[in-house]
């Protein structure tokens, strides 16, 4: 969901609240995705700030102490507010932090929770009746404490419009790139992912747990067939075609995809075709039948249905927002 910035003179403002015992990894993910300068893009994508309720914040397990960041007043001007997450999920959050989250939600800011950040959002009361996810190991605890939240387990992240949650540490990167893609388009998100040396797109519906960690570069047994498929997305490829190219049975290909990619061959292929369609639109192709044909999605009607379901925008809306000369990410 693309959020309009309330700061007309500058980029969309992302503020991270850091509280006692916060996890440094997710803070690093937020900093890498939203806080770094992007000279390769010729612009800064976000105005990034850290804030904390205390002048000195002891991070998780006392690894280090964070100082020199502004107070919670910075949260009052956030277009996107990333809430604290920490391993001690049963310990109540500070009232001042919860109040800042409630005020941000009331004025229409986008809220983001990484990993156990879903507990913070739920404790603030903004997730009642809403969809969310959290790390699988806390699913039972979360449901017991917050039965009114529609918790979705076994997914990487949930985009519920103005509130987004990621299941675990690495999924914070997936959700962050998903947000960049929605704000600035597929080309910019791909550029950010290349700098991270991370997969450009893993759909939020993929499983939290796979038999092996998902590598930045897929296992050699799948790499050749993935590269081949990406060069032939305009062809009417099937799972049987991919299996034949990999010299394995369709059943074996499915097992390898589940183990190494956390998804199915068909879901991966559809995701790659959608990403290509978005790039074609961003580069100026205005004929949606042509976009559908060159990306292997068949017809403009199929392109439109898939984009609405997976991205939340029609091809025409996507072109208006991210096409040439539109000032990607601006409002």
């Amino acid at each position: 969901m693309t959020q309009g910035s309330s700061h007309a003179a500058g980029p969309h403002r992302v503020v991270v609240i850091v509280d006692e015992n916060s996890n440094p990894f997710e803070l690093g993910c937020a900093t890498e995705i939203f806080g770094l300068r992007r000279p390769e893009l010729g612009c800064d994508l976000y105005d990034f700030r850290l804030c904390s309720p205390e002048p000195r914040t002891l991070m998780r397990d006392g690894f280090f102490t964070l100082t020199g960041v502004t107070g919670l007043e910075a949260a009052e001007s956030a277009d996107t507010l990333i809430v604290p997450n920490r391993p001690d999920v049963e310990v109540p959050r500070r009232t001042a932090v919860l109040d800042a989250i409630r005020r941000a939600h009331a004025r229409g800011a986008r809220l983001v929770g990484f990993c156990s950040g879903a507990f913070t959002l739920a404790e603030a009361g903004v997730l009642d009746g809403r969809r969310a996810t959290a790390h699988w190991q806390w699913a039972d605890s979360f449901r017991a404490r917050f039965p009114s939240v529609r918790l979705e387990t076994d997914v990487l992240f949930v985009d519920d419009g103005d509130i987004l949650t990621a299941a675990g540490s690495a999924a914070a990167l997936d959700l962050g790139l998903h947000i960049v893609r929605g704000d600035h388009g597929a080309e910019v998100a791909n550029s950010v992912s290349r700098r991270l040396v991370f997969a450009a797109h893993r759909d939020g519906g993929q499983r939290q747990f796979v038999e092996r960690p998902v590598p930045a570069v897929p296992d050699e047994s799948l790499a050749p067939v993935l590269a081949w498929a990406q060069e032939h997305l305009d062809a009417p490829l099937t799972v049987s075609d991919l299996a034949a190219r990999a010299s394995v049975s369709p059943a074996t290909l499915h097992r390898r995809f589940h183990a190494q990619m956390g998804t199915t061959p068909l879901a991966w292929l559809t995701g790659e075709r959608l990403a290509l369609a978005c790039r074609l639109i961003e580069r100026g192709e205005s004929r949606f039948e042509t976009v559908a044909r060159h990306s292997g999605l068949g017809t403009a009607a199929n392109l439109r249905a898939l984009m609405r379901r997976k991205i939340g925008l029609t091809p025409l809306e996507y072109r208006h927002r991210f096409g040439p000369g539109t000032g990607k990410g601006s409002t």
Side-chain angles (χ1 to χ4, degrees):
M1 175 180 177
T2 303
Q3 298 286 321
S5 172
S6 61
H7 304 275
H12 184 105
R13 177 167 292 174
V14 176
V15 177
V16 181
I17 300 179
V18 185
D19 202 1
E20 185 179 11
N21 214 25
S22 284
N23 287 318
F25 182 84
E26 285 82 352
L27 176 59
C29 291
T31 303
E32 282 282 342
I33 291 174
F34 302 110
L36 296 189
R37 295 189 178 278
R38 305 286 175 188
E40 67 274 18
L41 298 176
C43 65
D44 291 334
L45 301 181
Y46 299 97
D47 175 4
F48 182 77
R49 311 283 177 90
L50 300 180
C51 71
S52 177
E54 298 290 342
R56 298 172 60 84
T57 303
L58 191 65
M59 301 296 288
R60 177 177 178 174
D61 297 331
F63 288 149
F64 60 87
T65 300
L66 184 68
T67 62
V69 302
T70 189
L72 276 179
E73 63 272 11
E76 305 300 326
S77 61
D79 299 310
T80 292
L81 184 65
I82 301 177
V83 306
N85 73 306
R86 63 192 193 191
D88 48 346
V89 295
E90 302 298 330
V91 177
R93 270 57 174 170
R94 297 176 195 259
T95 300
V97 171
L98 298 178
D99 287 343
I101 294 168
R102 295 181 187 117
R103 288 193 298 271
H105 181 58
R107 61 179 170 77
R110 178 170 58 192
L111 303 179
V112 177
F114 293 146
C115 196
S116 59
F119 283 81
T120 307
L121 292 167
E123 194 171 339
V126 300
L127 278 181
D128 291 347
R130 302 289 294 266
R131 297 167 52 238
T133 191
H135 197 285
W136 58 267
Q137 70 178 359
W138 291 314
D140 291 341
S141 173
F142 188 97
R143 286 196 177 100
R145 288 182 61 190
F146 308 109
S148 61
V149 180
R150 295 159 54 195
L151 187 70
E152 297 184 8
T153 57
D154 205 27
V155 297
L156 293 179
F157 60 83
V158 168
D159 180 343
D160 198 41
D162 59 341
I163 303 181
L164 302 93
T165 48
S169 296
L173 291 172
D174 293 296
L175 178 54
L177 289 170
H178 170 78
I179 292 171
V180 173
R181 186 178 299 105
D183 288 348
H184 298 282
E187 290 280 17
V188 171
N190 288 342
S191 176
V192 174
S193 69
R194 284 195 299 271
R195 185 160 164 180
L196 286 167
V197 196
F198 190 75
H201 178 65
R202 288 199 296 166
D203 187 82
Q206 290 186 32
R207 296 181 300 157
Q208 285 190 33
F209 177 76
V210 294
E211 294 173 26
R212 304 176 215 169
V214 176
V217 178
D219 185 272
E220 283 298 319
S221 62
L222 279 182
V225 70
L226 298 185
W228 175 81
Q230 287 169 330
E231 293 295 323
H232 297 84
L233 292 174
D234 58 337
L237 297 178
T238 66
V239 174
S240 294
D241 294 328
L242 297 181
R245 182 72 185 186
S247 300
V248 297
S249 69
T252 297
L253 187 71
H254 271 279
R255 286 196 298 271
R256 290 184 180 177
F257 260 83
H258 272 291
Q260 298 174 27
M261 305 293 290
T263 189
T264 66
L266 185 59
W268 176 84
L269 193 58
T270 300
E272 291 296 310
R273 283 173 165 158
L274 274 174
L276 175 57
C278 289
R279 292 196 297 272
L280 291 171
I281 294 171
E282 291 179 24
R283 292 170 182 172
E285 180 54 70
S286 60
R287 298 163 296 176
F288 296 137
E289 287 287 352
T290 301
V291 171
R293 186 172 65 253
H294 285 302
S295 61
L297 294 174
T299 66
N302 191 42
L303 170 70
R304 183 163 48 251
L306 283 169
M307 288 190 67
R308 284 189 71 90
R309 186 165 72 246
K310 296 291 189 179
I311 300 174
L313 298 171
T314 67
L316 184 60
E317 291 168 339
Y318 194 91
R319 185 177 71 193
H320 287 163
R321 187 167 294 173
F322 300 117
T326 57
K328 297 180 179 66
S330 63
T331 58

